[in-house]
């Protein structure tokens, strides 16, 4: 094009690191530890082929016509039922179906953020969330969640919303402890600030039982009322890790007033989520496909986590520290050697045939040069070890 | 919720008329002439059931894993090939797959609009486009496209982009003539302003052959160069009307620089479109499903269009004027009787058991009180006639 008007302002601030990871995923001979993809062989393909056929054959109108903006009624009801337990009562009006978990982030930015409004965000922050909110021009208040000096009330007060990934945060793999969860819920209650609990990895606990969700902890505050959930927690779920990301099925559970605003935003965003995907998701949930499939997936990922951590111990312990995560998809390693600049390590790694995610992309200020996110779900143990060996070679080159 | 921070500013300006239509679609005993839905029995369900199964069984990774942000490579290539003809050369880098046509509108607003930037829009304007761009706070320059005093260059000059639906505009059903198409293309070339050609109804020509697309007309300006398309037209296509809206498959064809910006926006919007839907769309296009199915769909819609217009002639010609459209899904009727306020006619109609779309919702200023959009695709002839009878009863009540 010879000339054109300017693009919107935010586009001059964007980075394309995610695209670099995705492109590296397709590069021959590059081991990609920088992505965040599941292992495709864990998807229950035979079940899904059957359910895809069944969806269109038995429910052609449901599967092929526009779904309601809010989502397919039966799917909303089923999710409401699955999440209602103990004092938590989730009704249809608490549930919105989204086009993957990512769409929920886009919609939240749309309904809550005006230019320069504050978002209190767990730090470091999921890169996709930063991408989703860039067009809204927010400012960030970073929260170090497990730090014992966290003042959650100060962080939330006056923010448009707070953003957290309590189960195995992307990027750090950190599990937010129950005390901190309670502290966040109390702060949301005290300040009125909506508290987003983004939970794409909640099914991926490898050691021990899941911790209670903040949505559940908050329901204890709702008392013995008769109504559906009406508190400040906004819970985001997804089938991308438990079933298959290609379906693009996620959901939001929140107070009905928030769901209403999200529906208005979704109306102008994609009108509705694929009805075929929704019908397949409904049938997969009713059919128990996830429950049958998940244990083998967890075994695969548990083994890979251990393999990655063993390789780190063998090849990188001289220069980095980390904690072995109890779930999720990532290990976060931090350089103890001041000569290691992790932005430079991205290109040094690519030269050695390994792709990583440098910490800077998860930092709204982009200043972190000491950390790296490594993914362990997308590669088998022997490839993970080879990738770490290559990374060690890149480190040696960098500090030589 | 007891208290919460304010929602984003645009939410206080929104209307919920689309939801009223959609809700009316589900109300027992209300004939819905206000929506814009296809007839579900026209969808090739048997073919799609077969293709859905085949997609997952034969291509499990393609169908179940994340697709690339830009869309599935083979689908982009196929669309590029189908649109390349005469001087128009479309390459993979010109194509982005979107989650329905609506997502393209959201992404265009994100990449082009900052607060108070101007959009030159065909007037009246598709409600969904106004919904999509509301969070960006644009201002509108209305363009009456077939008016012989249209100064396209003045309308486009300095606007961030221009928006048109040349084939059977939603809401008016208007077909933009070739002279005006050329005038718009020339204006886009002269001013550098991107020209959006939104074409969801392009396959629904009932009388005579399709007119040339602006994308094609503009390619004549590109000369005998060797490269792929790099002009100012941004073409939006969709399978929602030709195949099935539940798949949520649309696409953008534009200069590579614009596609690049849209990809950055899509990355933070839903990461990727359903890979299962993309795989089914690819196989349906290769398999000729659309070509086999479309003639019967056109017969159905042609008959319904004639039935609606005959009913209007019989029951409403005293109070309204209209032109019989040669394609698309809508008839636009304009009151000649000054006592008819079409906003009031929406509720009067609902009282009589018929839902319509009042003209005000398609007007960024919301001042049109004389026009009504009627849909003819979603109901059989006898229901259309009954709906028009009810509308006539509502009119008589209104002016009594």
């Amino acid at each position: 094009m010879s000339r054109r008007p300017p693009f919107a302002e935010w586009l001059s601030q964007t980075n394309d690191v995610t695209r670099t990871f995705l492109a590296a995923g397709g590069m021959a001979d590059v081991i990609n530890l920088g992505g965040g993809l599941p292992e495709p062989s864990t998807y229950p393909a035979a079940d899904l082929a059957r359910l895809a056929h069944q969806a269109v054959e038995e429910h052609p109108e449901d599967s092929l016509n526009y779904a309601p903006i809010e989502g397919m009624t039966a799917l909303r009801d089923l999710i409401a039922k699955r999440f209602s337990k103990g004092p938590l009562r989730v009704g249809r009006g608490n549930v919105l179906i989204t086009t993957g978990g990512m769409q929920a982030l886009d919609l939240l930015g749309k309904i809550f953020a005006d230019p320069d409004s504050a978002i209190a965000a767990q730090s470091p922050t999921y890169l996709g969330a930063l991408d989703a909110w860039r067009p809204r021009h927010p400012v960030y208040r970073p929260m170090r969640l497990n730090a014992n000096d966290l003042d959650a009330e100060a962080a939330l007060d006056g923010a448009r919303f707070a953003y957290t990934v309590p189960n195995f945060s992307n990027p750090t793999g950190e599990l937010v402890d129950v005390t901190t969860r309670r502290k966040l819920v109390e702060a949301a209650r005290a300040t009125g600030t909506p508290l987003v609990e983004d939970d794409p990895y909640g099914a991926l606990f490898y050691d021990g039982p899941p911790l209670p969700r903040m949505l559940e902890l908050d329901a204890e505050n709702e008392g013995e009322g008769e109504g559906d959930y009406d508190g400040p927690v906004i819970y985001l779920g997804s089938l991308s890790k438990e079933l298959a990301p290609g379906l693009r099925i996620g959901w939001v559970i929140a107070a009905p007033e928030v769901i209403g605003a999200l529906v208005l935003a979704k109306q102008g965003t994609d009108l509705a989520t694929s009805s075929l995907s929704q019908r397949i998701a409904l049938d997969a949930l009713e059919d128990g496909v996830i429950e049958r499939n998940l244990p083998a997936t967890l075994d695969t990922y548990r083994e890979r986590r251990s393999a990655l951590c063993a390789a780190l111990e063998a090849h990188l312990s001289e220069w980095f520290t980390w904690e072995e995560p109890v779930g999720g998809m990532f290990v976060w390693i931090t350089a103890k050697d001041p000569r290691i600049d992790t932005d430079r390590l991205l290109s040094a790694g690519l030269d050695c045939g390994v792709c990583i995610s440098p910490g800077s992309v998860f930092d709204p200020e982009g200043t972190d040069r000491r950390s790296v996110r490594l993914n362990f779900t997308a590669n088998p143990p022997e490839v993970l070890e080879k990738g770490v060996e290559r990374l060690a070679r890149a480190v040696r080159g960098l500090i030589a």
Side-chain angles (χ1 to χ4, degrees), chain A:
Chain A
M1 292 176 79
S2 43
R3 61 183 179 121
R4 53 152 188 77
F7 283 125
E9 222 182 295
W10 68 272
L11 273 164
S12 60
Q13 301 149 19
T14 193
N15 70 66
D16 57 0
V17 177
T18 297
R19 296 184 67 208
T20 306
F21 306 153
L22 291 179
M27 279 183 211
D29 301 326
V30 169
I31 294 175
N32 189 1
L33 306 180
L37 302 180
E39 164 58 54
S41 68
T42 64
Y43 307 147
D47 278 323
L48 289 171
R50 176 176 56 82
L51 292 177
H53 185 269
Q54 177 184 311
V56 184
E57 189 173 67
E58 294 182 11
H59 310 276
E61 190 159 339
D62 260 14
S63 302
L64 300 177
N65 216 352
Y66 291 99
I69 305 173
E70 296 88 341
M72 200 170 277
T73 305
L75 181 58
R76 295 168 74 207
D77 286 348
L78 183 64
I79 288 170
K81 198 174 139 204
R82 286 169 77 100
F83 277 80
S84 293
K85 57 179 169 181
L88 176 60
R89 301 172 56 137
V90 180
R92 185 189 300 169
N94 292 121
V95 181
L96 170 74
I97 306 300
T98 58
T99 304
M102 174 62 82
Q103 185 180 56
L105 301 176
D106 175 51
L107 300 179
L108 287 168
K110 279 181 174 150
I111 72 162
F112 283 128
D114 285 313
D116 301 320
S117 51
I119 298 174
Q122 179 173 6
S123 174
T125 310
Y126 171 44
L127 173 60
L130 298 177
D131 283 340
W133 300 327
R134 209 165 268 126
R136 309 298 300 164
H137 298 277
V139 293
Y140 288 94
R141 297 183 187 172
M143 297 188 289
R144 295 269 168 188
L145 289 191
N146 279 349
N148 47 22
D149 62 348
L150 170 71
D151 186 342
E153 211 169 305
L156 267 63
D157 192 34
R160 288 293 176 93
F161 65 94
Y163 177 69
T164 69
V165 185
N167 290 328
F168 321 118
S169 153
N170 181 348
T172 66
E174 170 184 62
L175 179 65
V176 175
D177 59 45
V178 178
T179 307
T180 305
R181 292 177 191 226
R182 285 195 193 278
K183 201 193 277 187
L184 286 163
V185 165
E186 292 314 317
R189 286 266 158 190
T191 59
T193 297
L195 172 61
V196 177
E197 176 174 30
D198 189 6
D199 195 24
Y201 313 110
L204 305 183
F205 270 87
Y206 308 133
D207 311 310
L211 298 189
R213 300 183 177 108
M214 294 196 292
L215 181 66
E216 292 162 357
L217 293 173
D218 186 49
E220 294 167 11
N221 294 317
E222 296 254 294
E224 291 298 306
E226 310 77 45
D228 290 335
Y229 181 72
D230 197 31
V233 177
I234 300 176
Y235 178 90
L236 313 185
S238 158
L239 291 182
S240 292
K241 311 301 181 285
E242 292 175 57
L243 193 61
L247 297 174
R248 310 308 297 123
I249 295 292
W251 58 87
V252 182
I253 297 175
E257 184 189 22
V258 171
I259 296 293
L262 291 169
V263 168
L264 283 174
K266 185 169 168 71
Q267 178 177 303
T269 297
D270 68 357
L271 212 48
T273 293
S274 163
S275 9
L276 176 57
S277 288
Q278 291 190 66
R279 183 75 230 181
I280 293 171
L282 172 64
D283 292 345
L285 288 166
E286 283 185 338
D287 198 60
V289 172
I290 292 174
E291 286 77 1
R292 285 200 303 276
N293 191 63
L294 193 59
T297 304
L298 296 184
D299 287 345
T300 301
Y301 290 169
R302 192 183 291 111
E303 186 194 0
R304 292 180 178 192
R305 176 210 46 189
S306 303
L308 177 67
C309 289
L312 290 173
E313 192 60 48
H315 303 289
L316 284 174
S317 54
E318 189 179 337
W319 305 299
F320 286 90
T321 61
W322 63 88
E323 279 187 37
E324 182 158 336
V326 298
M329 303 175 71
F330 306 107
V331 178
W332 182 250
I333 65 174
T334 301
K336 43 188 182 183
D337 188 316
R339 292 170 295 175
I340 298 174
D341 174 320
T342 50
D343 267 7
R344 290 180 55 217
L345 189 57
L346 170 61
S347 45
L350 284 173
D351 290 342
C352 295
V354 62
C355 181
I356 56 150
S357 300
S360 61
V361 305
F362 307 102
D363 170 6
E365 268 84 51
T367 54
D368 179 353
R369 295 280 185 284
R370 299 186 54 238
S371 303
V372 169
R373 186 192 75 177
L374 299 174
N375 167 266
F376 57 80
T377 54
N379 289 290
E382 61 280 11
V383 177
L384 291 170
E385 172 152 30
K386 203 164 164 187
V388 171
E389 282 171 20
R390 290 181 182 183
L391 190 58
R393 204 179 325 139
V395 170
R396 280 192 295 271
L398 210 59
I399 62 180

